[in-house]
């Protein structure tokens, strides 16, 4: 992965280049920001740039030296990957046990689709973690000196999924690093990283991509027309990963729309019985899909509110969504939109904390009944 392969983020790229060129790389670095904007791709490009034997004058790895070729196949001897796994797949909970799946995943998902990683692990509703055993494996690898380059580099994806024991063991590596070791962490939700770890990392924020960058990427890589690309880019909220989901997960999007319509119609008609069944059905989607559905509901609230304000040029809805929202949008207004968004967000937090999904969704449905009448 070269810096040139990653759209936008020129400020971050320049900062990473400068750290390497001036020999000021911190021993422990965190790239933090929303999912799907290219953080792990930047980490991969950084590692390749550090190991490259013939860096280019414009500040990139050459792509052809032995080190670069090894990076291209994820086989560099001085590069260590660590990532969440399932013990059902890896008995010891080690990343090394699923490296073939990981390499396939990286090849197909440069923007790190977590849902696709779950499928790669053959458990779409799984909750992979970075287990305590992983820290011991990492420490053993870094106990030896680098093989062919100046630095041995760890790239850890989603450190927020480290078990506390794992994080506490790695803390010693962060506080007392070896001269030839670099630790690079990539997080989608850095607020969940153990504070003792987070406070000791040098942090670089990677922000959402501009809509124009996402639209251009979708036109070049997915052959979308300019208008369709603009709509997808807006809905994706600065994430190429989300833009690709909007194209590739049409069945899920249609299912979410159907579930959203059932909730709103049931709430408007105050049909408690059907809403109780609805809450059971939604809970059956599983934790990750349930959280994606709640994100979808929040987006629909915002788009309907904008529609109700008669700012059609700012509304980005699919034709099926438009057909429903044409008559529904008057019910989302300045008296209830903030409260509705707050309830959907709280439900997502509760689901993420492993609350009882059936109770959470039924409670949400009852609150929607009350709020729609405002």
């Amino acid at each position: 992965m070269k810096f040139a392969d990653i759209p936008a983020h020129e400020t971050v790229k320049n900062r990473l280049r400068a750290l390497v060129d001036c020999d000021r790389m911190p021993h422990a670095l965190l790239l933090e920001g929303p999912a799907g904007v290219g953080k792990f791709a930047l980490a991969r490009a950084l590692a390749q740039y550090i190991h490259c034997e013939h860096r280019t004058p414009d500040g990139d790895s050459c792509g052809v030296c032995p080190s670069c070729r090894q990076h291209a196949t994820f086989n560099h001897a001085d590069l260590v990957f660590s990532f969440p796994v399932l013990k059902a797949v890896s008995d010891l909970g080690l990343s090394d046990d699923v490296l073939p799946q990981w390499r396939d995943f990286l090849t197909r998902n440069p923007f790190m689709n977590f849902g696709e990683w779950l499928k790669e692990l053959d458990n779409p509703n799984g909750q992979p973690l970075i287990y305590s055993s992983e820290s011991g494996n990492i420490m053993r690898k870094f106990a030896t000196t680098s093989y062919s380059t100046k630095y041995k580099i760890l790239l850890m994806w989603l450190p927020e999924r480290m078990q506390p024991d794992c994080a506490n063991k790695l803390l010693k590596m962060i506080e007392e690093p070896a001269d030839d070791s670099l630790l690079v962490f990539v997080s989608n939700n850095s607020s969940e990283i153990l504070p003792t770890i987070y406070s000791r990392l040098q942090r670089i924020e990677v922000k959402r991509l501009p809509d124009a960058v996402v639209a251009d990427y979708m036109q070049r890589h997915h052959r979308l027309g300019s208008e369709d690309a603009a709509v997808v880019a807006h809905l994706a909220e600065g994430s190429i990963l989300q833009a690709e989901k909007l194209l590739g997960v049409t069945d899920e999007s249609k299912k979410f729309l159907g579930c959203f319509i059932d909730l709103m119609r049931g709430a408007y008609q105050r049909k408690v019985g059907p809403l109780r069944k609805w809450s059971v059905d939604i809970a059956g989607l599983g934790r990750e899909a349930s959280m994606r559905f709640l994100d979808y509901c929040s987006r629909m609230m915002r788009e309907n509110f904008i529609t109700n304000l008669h700012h059609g040029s700012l509304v980005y809805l699919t034709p099926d969504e438009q057909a429903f929202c044409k008559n529904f949008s008057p019910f989302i207004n300045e008296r209830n939109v903030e409260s509705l968004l707050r309830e959907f967000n709280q439900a997502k937090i509760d689901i993420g904390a492993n609350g009882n999904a059936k109770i959470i969704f039924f409670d949400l449905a009852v609150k929607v009944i009350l709020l729609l009448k405002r």
Side-chain angles (χ1 to χ4, degrees):
M1 178 69 70
K2 299 172 64 175
F3 286 124
D5 298 327
I6 306 166
H9 297 312
E10 294 306 321
T11 300
V12 175
K13 292 177 187 176
N14 289 335
R15 184 173 175 184
L16 294 175
R17 289 189 193 102
L19 288 172
V20 177
D21 295 343
C22 298
D23 198 22
R24 296 178 59 191
M25 268 296 296
H27 286 287
L29 175 69
L30 173 68
L31 300 180
E32 57 183 336
V37 299
K39 299 186 303 299
F40 200 77
L42 286 166
R44 287 172 55 193
L46 171 64
Q48 182 168 321
Y49 186 65
I50 291 171
H51 285 159
C52 180
E53 299 168 24
H54 305 292
R55 296 171 192 162
T56 64
D58 60 348
D60 213 338
S61 50
C62 69
V64 296
C65 70
S67 283
C68 285
R69 292 200 300 271
Q70 290 165 16
H71 271 271
T73 57
F74 315 111
N75 284 307
H76 198 287
D78 291 329
L79 181 65
V80 177
F81 289 111
S82 180
F83 44 85
V85 299
L86 295 169
K87 282 201 171 178
V89 180
S90 166
D91 291 338
L92 297 177
L94 299 178
S95 301
D96 285 355
D97 291 342
V98 290
L99 278 178
Q101 295 97 312
W102 174 252
R103 290 170 181 140
D104 289 343
F105 170 69
L106 288 182
T107 301
R108 295 194 300 269
N109 294 273
F111 288 92
M112 311 304 287
N113 185 330
F114 186 71
E116 290 300 315
W117 178 233
L118 293 178
K119 291 179 183 178
E120 199 73 53
L121 296 176
D122 201 27
N123 190 342
N125 292 314
Q127 294 299 313
L129 298 170
I130 301 176
Y131 293 96
S132 177
S133 54
E134 179 78 353
S135 60
N137 194 40
I138 292 171
M139 293 171 74
R140 281 192 295 274
K141 290 182 177 181
F142 278 80
T144 59
T145 59
S146 55
Y147 290 92
S148 58
T149 60
K150 182 179 179 180
Y151 291 109
K152 184 172 288 187
I153 303 173
L154 169 72
L155 298 187
M156 179 180 282
W157 183 47
L158 305 184
E160 59 266 33
R161 288 183 173 265
M162 274 195 291
Q163 288 187 320
D165 284 349
C166 177
N168 287 327
K169 289 178 181 178
L170 287 183
L171 188 59
K172 183 176 177 62
M173 282 187 65
I174 296 173
E175 292 180 328
E176 302 175 14
D179 291 337
D180 65 344
S181 68
L182 296 176
L183 311 180
V184 181
F185 302 88
V186 179
S187 173
N188 293 343
N189 192 352
S190 58
S191 64
E192 295 183 0
I193 298 175
L194 195 69
T196 51
I197 294 285
Y198 186 74
S199 63
R200 288 164 172 79
L201 304 178
Q202 181 167 322
R203 303 182 288 273
I204 296 179
E205 182 181 7
V206 184
K207 298 181 179 180
R208 58 157 286 171
L209 295 164
D211 286 357
V213 171
V214 178
D216 178 68
Y217 183 91
M218 299 306 289
Q219 289 182 72
R220 289 187 292 107
H221 291 267
H222 296 278
R223 299 182 180 180
L224 282 187
S226 58
E227 292 185 3
D228 290 338
V231 171
V232 169
H234 178 81
L235 295 177
E237 298 181 337
S239 167
I240 287 177
L241 172 58
Q242 184 60 27
E244 292 180 329
K245 282 183 179 180
L246 291 169
L247 286 183
V249 194
T250 55
D251 289 343
E252 182 177 82
S253 299
K254 290 178 181 178
K255 184 173 185 176
F256 283 174
L257 175 59
C259 294
F260 177 79
I261 291 173
D262 289 343
L263 170 60
M264 294 305 150
R265 285 177 174 167
Y268 177 75
Q269 297 169 3
R270 302 197 172 201
K271 293 184 175 181
V272 176
L275 286 175
R276 187 181 297 276
K277 180 181 182 302
W278 174 88
S279 65
V280 173
D281 292 340
I282 293 295
L285 293 175
R287 180 173 174 270
E288 297 294 335
S290 295
M291 294 172 70
R292 292 196 298 272
F293 170 68
L294 290 166
D295 284 336
Y296 177 85
C297 290
S298 294
R299 180 178 73 80
M300 290 294 284
M301 289 295 104
R302 292 190 292 268
E303 297 295 340
N304 275 276
F305 179 63
I306 295 172
T307 299
N308 195 24
L309 294 177
H310 305 291
H311 292 301
S313 61
L314 302 178
V315 176
Y316 293 85
L317 296 166
T318 67
D320 289 341
E321 291 169 346
Q322 290 176 358
F324 173 72
C325 295
K326 180 179 180 181
N327 295 321
F328 173 70
S329 60
F331 295 97
I332 308 302
N333 52 62
E334 67 278 1
R335 296 183 299 277
N336 63 11
V337 64
E338 290 186 1
S339 297
L340 284 164
L341 287 170
R342 187 161 51 247
E343 295 300 339
F344 283 117
N345 184 61
Q346 185 60 51
K348 181 181 177 182
I349 292 173
D350 293 340
I351 292 290
N354 291 318
N356 187 309
K358 295 177 184 178
I359 295 174
I360 292 169
F361 278 114
F362 184 63
D363 179 67
L364 174 65
V366 171
K367 289 174 178 174
V368 173
I369 288 176
L370 300 175
L371 291 170
L372 278 187
K373 296 298 182 179
R374 286 189 181 177

